[in-house]
Amino acid sequence: MLTIGSIQLDSPALLAPMAGHTDLPFRLLCRSIGGVGLASTDLLNVHSLLRGSPKALALAATAPGDEPLCMQLYGNEHDPLPDAARWAVNNGADVIDINMGCPVDKVAKKHGGSLLLCDVDSTVRLAERIVEAITPSTGKPVTAKIRLGWDDDRIVGPPLARALEQVGIAAVTVHGRTTEQFFKGRACLQGIKAVVDAVDAIPVIGNGDIEVAADAQHMMDVTGCDGVMIARGALRRPWVFHQIHGVLTEGVAVPEPTFKTKVEYLLRHLELIMEHLDERNALHRMRSGIAKFARTMGHVKPLKEGIRTANSSAEIERVLRFWHAKACDGWTPNPILEGKAADARTRDLTTA
Ligand SMILES: Cc1cc2nc3c(=O)[nH]c(=O)nc-3n(C[C@H](O)[C@H](O)[C@H](O)COP(=O)(O)O)c2cc1C
């Protein structure tokens, strides 16, 4: 069982922070399907949070059922990260994560995110200040999410993780790429293993390119990591946590949901967005999300078009109910070639 500080997780599969995606409705959707050990907010700007900016507060919003929750903060040693961490704990965070891996200019140019990988000593001092502000008084763990290093010549993952452990960081998540790589190539499992080998006792969560349960199993087998974190794969397969939990915790292969069930997940997502956000978000999130989600659905161009061109949440709901009714009548789309490799890996597990 994966334990982060004082928090025992029910599943070793964690939903990654993803700016623009891991809002409350999406977290609740994944949790409702099952298998999410811990879910994170998008990265939060500490100044906006402490100022009470409505946008930052919306990103940090939580609700019953959204536990255990990790709030991810970004900034550098000059920013009020300890104060923001206290704010987060007072507003529902069970875990505070420090972003040390974001490669985008908006964050890294402000000396946060990945730039923290470039000066290990000052990053470790910053982490120590945040831990001291939080853990002794509240018992809540502070974690860090890192990449392997800035580039191949500056790999700092192993010594950084070890030093973070020594100042009280309760777990490290490592995305097996460098900052320079951005999302290119494949996540390096040997790089993740080196981080696992470097720490004494804290859990290491492996991250990168997990699409189906077999990928999670493979990453854990090769690296010895204690848990896995999934980002992009969850946008296509929010049920992947349920499947990973099934295989890793219960030794049960959970089959791929049917087309009808997938439409039900879309309906549930829409309902959660309308409950916790608003009409504008419903249109934006459903229209932009459908391309990724539908990749696992087969040939469903008319369904995608119906959602993309809808002018209201009610219209999206009508489109989805139409396809749901067809599915109830036994209709299923033809499979598509895209995603075939991942489907095959899922089948391997299902029939194993
Ligand atoms: C759209 C998008 C937004 C992201 N936002 C964040 C973020 O806010 N904080 C963070 O630590 N990582 C962020 N990431 C990185 C992911 O958490 C993860 O480390 C990376 O995508 C690799 O995992 P994956 O292969 O499962 O996608 C983001 C990734 C994507 C694709």
Side-chain angles (χ1 to χ4, degrees):
M1 200 56 85
L2 175 56
T3 302
I4 297 181
S6 55
I7 317 270
Q8 194 172 358
L9 307 186
D10 290 338
S11 163
L14 284 65
L15 172 61
M18 256 186 300
H21 297 282
T22 42
D23 52 16
L24 177 60
F26 187 70
R27 296 196 303 270
L28 289 175
L29 172 71
C30 295
R31 291 185 195 276
S32 73
I33 300 170
V36 176
L38 181 73
S40 176
T41 61
D42 295 22
L43 81 178
L44 304 170
N45 178 299
V46 294
H47 294 283
S48 310
L49 214 54
L50 293 171
R51 223 182 25 244
S53 124
K55 206 171 151 200
L57 295 185
L59 288 177
T62 182
D66 188 30
E67 308 94 11
L69 176 66
C70 170
M71 290 196 192
Q72 191 191 56
L73 308 175
Y74 76 92
N76 62 37
E77 76 265 30
H78 305 299
D79 294 316
L81 275 149
D83 291 341
R86 267 186 226 105
W87 182 96
V89 167
N90 291 333
N91 287 274
D94 300 295
V95 177
I96 303 296
D97 186 65
I98 314 168
N99 182 315
M100 301 185 184
C102 182
V104 302
D105 280 357
K106 209 175 110 186
V107 174
K109 279 217 169 124
K110 286 188 182 158
H111 310 292
S114 257
L115 217 69
L116 298 185
L117 300 173
C118 296
D119 184 347
V120 167
D121 290 345
S122 96
T123 298
V124 172
R125 280 196 303 274
L126 171 65
E128 186 171 23
R129 281 174 43 224
I130 302 169
V131 171
E132 277 170 2
I134 295 300
T135 308
S137 53
T138 68
K140 305 282 181 187
V142 180
T143 61
K145 181 160 177 284
I146 67 174
R147 285 187 175 230
L148 299 177
W150 186 268
D151 58 29
D152 284 348
D153 297 328
R154 283 174 282 182
I155 296 295
V156 295
L160 174 60
R162 191 171 172 75
L164 289 171
E165 176 176 31
Q166 284 161 359
V167 297
I169 287 291
V172 170
T173 301
V174 54
H175 175 189
R177 286 187 176 83
T178 62
T179 305
E180 196 194 54
Q181 263 184 293
F182 223 83
F183 286 96
K184 285 196 297 281
R186 300 286 301 169
C188 172
L189 297 186
Q190 288 310 318
I192 296 174
K193 181 177 186 315
V195 172
V196 172
D197 292 344
V199 300
D200 242 0
I202 58 168
V204 172
I205 320 295
N207 168 240
D209 302 337
I210 292 177
E211 191 71 35
V212 295
D215 302 331
Q217 175 103 65
H218 180 64
M219 181 182 278
M220 291 185 82
D221 289 348
V222 172
T223 68
C225 65
D226 304 276
V228 289
M229 183 176 272
I230 301 99
R232 292 166 298 173
L235 302 177
R236 293 182 279 270
R237 291 182 161 82
W239 53 89
V240 69
F241 305 96
H242 184 43
Q243 294 179 321
I244 293 173
H245 178 250
V247 167
L248 295 183
T249 313
E250 290 163 357
V252 176
V254 178
E256 201 62 5
T258 60
F259 172 73
K260 175 170 157 280
T261 304
K262 289 175 188 175
V263 177
E264 284 161 7
Y265 292 158
L266 286 168
L267 278 162
R268 192 181 306 165
H269 194 194
L270 178 65
E271 192 185 321
L272 287 163
I273 296 172
M274 290 307 289
E275 188 180 333
H276 296 285
L277 298 174
D278 54 24
E279 178 74 18
R280 192 181 59 81
N281 270 291
L283 284 176
H284 170 67
R285 297 285 277 114
M286 296 302 291
R287 279 181 189 157
S288 61
I290 190 62
K292 292 189 180 72
F293 188 94
R295 275 194 214 168
T296 68
M297 293 179 100
H299 276 291
V300 288
K301 204 168 167 199
L303 182 155
K304 286 193 282 186
E305 280 309 300
I307 292 180
R308 271 204 216 107
T309 56
N311 287 316
S312 65
S313 57
E315 203 176 327
I316 294 178
E317 186 178 343
R318 266 197 305 279
V319 170
L320 290 173
R321 294 220 176 275
F322 170 81
W323 288 96
H324 189 255
K326 270 175 83 92
C328 287
D329 285 344
W331 184 88
T332 48
N334 286 328
I336 46 175
L337 288 177
E338 218 179 344
K340 211 176 169 188
D343 288 346
R345 295 201 298 283
T346 302
R347 263 198 310 279
D348 285 351
L349 274 178
T350 313
T351 54

